[in-house]
């Protein structure tokens, strides 16, 4: 009897722990292909290169069907316990901060905060995974069906980590959101399992980001070969990375006396106080480290996108 009570207690604890497991935060957006077909795109100047990006604001303002489809997928994900970030609310938040950010420059070199509208959206939403949905309606007599493609993208690397696609059964229903629900219903459990598996990997092995460090051409004698306590600065930074990345995982893909590129840098999802860790927060830790003795080096952090930060070493 006592053994059964103990076993039952263990089972209850296991169930509660499973139910309280952290879930990734999601945000649903229409695919680039869907936006392009509908004409909801705009051009973005990315360091002199013109890029076509989705114009979500215009799509939401002009396409009621899109709003209904996003709401339907939100409901399907919420029913499975996945927290969601609202696209329209995130866009409103961005509009409130764009004017202020456009005026930010570094004090010495005048570098701007370089971040695409899509990166601004992902940073504001603080979503772990972006759900990109694309669909088209097929008509056969009085019946209609939906062919859909639903992709889960890592918000930092833009790598696809989950997918579901197919065509629903023909139906007399005239509502596209209902057709979407009928079409994706059978694949949702497998799809959410893929999302959770990726998030579990991030929890265990850290989020993958890129950190770039560069010495400005300002005539100072500082470079990454300068020695502190008989150790070059580049070696000191390597040691810091090894101590502060998850499972000591990072790659130093390029390095000169004036430039270092760390990629595949695995940073924790959360700080010790429980708040979310992002690339900028991780870069600020490096900045604070270099500010202390024996270095006393001033640094400036510049956004290079959601999953990448540039640290200008030696000036503000």
């Amino acid at each position: 009897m006592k053994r059964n009570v103990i076993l039952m207690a263990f089972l209850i604890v296991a169930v509660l722990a499973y139910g309280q497991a952290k879930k990734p935060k999601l945000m649903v957006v229409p695919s680039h292909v869907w936006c392009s077909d509908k004409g909801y795109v705009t051009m973005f100047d990315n360091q002199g290169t013109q890029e076509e990006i989705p114009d979500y604001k215009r799509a939401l303002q002009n396409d009621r069907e899109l709003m209904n489809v996003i709401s339907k997928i939100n409901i399907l994900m919420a029913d499975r316990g996945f927290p969601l970030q609202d696209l329209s609310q995130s866009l409103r938040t961005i509009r409130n901060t764009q004017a202020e950010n456009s005026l930010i420059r570094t004090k010495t070199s005048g570098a701007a905060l370089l971040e695409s509208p899509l990166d601004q959206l992902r940073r504001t939403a603080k979503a772990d995974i972006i759900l990109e949905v694309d669909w088209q309606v097929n008509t056969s007599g009085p019946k209609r069906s939906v062919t859909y493609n639903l992709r889960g993208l890592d918000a930092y690397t833009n790598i696809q980590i989950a997918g579901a696609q197919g065509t629903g059964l023909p139906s007399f229903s005239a509502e596209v959101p209902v057709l979407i629900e009928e079409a994706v219903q059978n694949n949702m459990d497998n799809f959410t399992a893929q999302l959770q598996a990726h998030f579990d990997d991030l929890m265990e092995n850290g989020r993958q980001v890129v950190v770039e460090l560069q010495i400005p051409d300002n005539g100072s004698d500082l470079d990454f070969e300068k020695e502190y306590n008989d150790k070059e600065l580049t070696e000191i930074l390597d040691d810091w990375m090894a101590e502060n990345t998850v499972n000591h995982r990072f790659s130093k893909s390029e390095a000169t006396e004036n430039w270092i590129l760390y990629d595949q840098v695995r940073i924790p999802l959360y700080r010790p106080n429980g708040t979310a860790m992002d690339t900028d927060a991780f870069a600020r830790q490096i900045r604070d480290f270099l500010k202390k003795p024996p270095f006393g080096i001033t640094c400036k952090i510049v956004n290079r996108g959601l999953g990448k930060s540039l640290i200008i070493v030696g000036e503000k």
Side-chain angles (χ1 to χ4, degrees):
M1 181 65 177
K2 185 177 179 180
R3 182 180 298 174
N4 290 338
V5 171
I6 295 174
L7 178 59
M8 183 62 69
F10 275 120
L11 288 174
I12 292 173
V13 170
V15 169
L16 289 174
Y18 178 80
Q20 295 173 357
K22 286 185 178 294
K23 295 283 189 180
K25 292 182 180 179
L26 313 174
M27 182 172 64
V28 182
V29 304
S31 73
H32 193 155
V33 172
W34 185 91
C35 290
S36 183
D37 287 345
K38 297 285 187 177
Y40 300 133
V41 292
T42 188
M43 301 306 295
F44 168 66
D45 184 359
N46 185 6
Q47 295 181 290
T49 301
Q50 293 295 312
E51 295 183 6
E52 182 185 83
I53 61 172
D55 189 340
Y56 297 134
K57 177 184 175 183
R58 193 152 56 91
L60 290 171
Q61 289 175 339
N62 293 278
D63 201 300
R64 186 177 298 275
E65 185 178 277
L66 171 62
M67 286 288 291
N68 291 335
V69 167
I70 289 178
S71 295
K72 179 58 68 176
I73 295 177
N74 281 348
I75 292 170
L76 291 172
M77 298 305 299
D79 287 344
R80 288 161 174 79
F82 286 83
L84 296 149
Q85 307 300 310
D86 183 68
L87 174 59
S88 59
Q89 182 59 47
S90 296
L91 291 173
R92 279 193 290 270
T93 302
I94 289 171
R95 289 197 294 273
N96 293 335
T97 58
Q98 276 181 331
E100 179 182 346
N101 287 346
S102 66
L103 300 176
I104 297 176
R105 296 290 187 275
T106 61
K107 293 179 180 178
T108 307
S109 65
L113 299 179
L114 178 62
E115 196 168 30
S116 77
L118 292 181
D119 280 322
Q120 290 176 355
L121 172 63
R122 295 177 180 188
R123 182 183 300 281
T124 302
K126 296 187 179 354
D128 300 295
I129 298 171
I130 303 299
L131 300 187
E132 197 178 71
V133 60
D134 180 30
W135 74 94
Q136 64 180 25
V137 179
N138 312 306
T139 303
S140 178
K143 293 185 177 182
R144 302 203 303 170
S145 64
V146 162
T147 298
Y148 74 94
N149 185 24
L150 186 61
R151 300 199 303 158
L153 306 174
D154 183 287
Y156 278 60
T157 63
N158 215 33
I159 295 173
Q160 180 173 334
I161 46 86
Q165 58 184 2
T167 300
L169 295 174
S171 170
F172 288 104
S173 173
E175 299 294 328
V176 170
V178 175
L179 293 174
I180 287 281
E181 180 179 18
E182 293 172 349
V184 305
Q185 195 70 255
N186 291 335
N187 292 323
M188 286 306 289
D189 289 339
N190 182 57
F191 181 72
T192 54
Q194 294 177 53
L195 298 179
Q196 187 64 51
H198 175 71
F199 187 70
D200 290 344
D201 176 71
L202 295 183
M203 289 286 291
E204 181 179 354
N205 299 308
R207 190 190 301 282
Q208 187 170 298
V209 302
V210 174
V211 178
E212 183 180 2
L213 298 97
Q214 189 165 347
I215 304 289
D217 185 14
N218 57 11
S220 73
D221 63 349
L222 176 67
D223 60 35
F224 292 119
E225 294 180 351
K226 186 172 181 178
E227 294 189 3
Y228 296 87
N229 298 327
D230 298 325
K231 216 171 191 182
E232 290 188 357
L233 184 56
T234 184
E235 298 175 274
I236 294 170
L237 287 167
D238 289 348
D239 291 343
W240 188 94
M241 280 286 185
E243 291 176 7
N244 291 274
T245 50
V246 178
N247 299 327
H248 319 293
R249 294 178 62 180
F250 71 97
S251 174
K252 186 178 183 180
S253 59
E254 299 285 348
T256 68
E257 62 185 66
N258 295 310
W259 178 59
I260 299 175
L261 181 63
Y262 293 109
D263 58 10
Q264 300 178 21
V265 179
R266 291 283 190 156
I267 67 173
L269 264 65
Y270 301 99
R271 306 181 213 186
N273 63 4
T275 58
M277 172 76 80
D278 59 16
T279 317
D280 270 2
F282 186 77
R284 286 196 296 271
Q285 291 181 350
I286 301 175
R287 177 199 63 189
D288 294 343
F289 170 71
L290 292 176
K291 189 188 300 184
K292 296 176 182 178
F295 317 109
I297 301 173
T298 299
C299 297
K300 176 70 177 182
I301 298 172
V302 181
N303 295 332
R304 291 296 197 194
L306 184 62
K308 183 177 181 180
S309 282
L310 166 67
I311 304 175
I312 300 173
V313 180
E315 72 170 42
K316 217 30 166 163

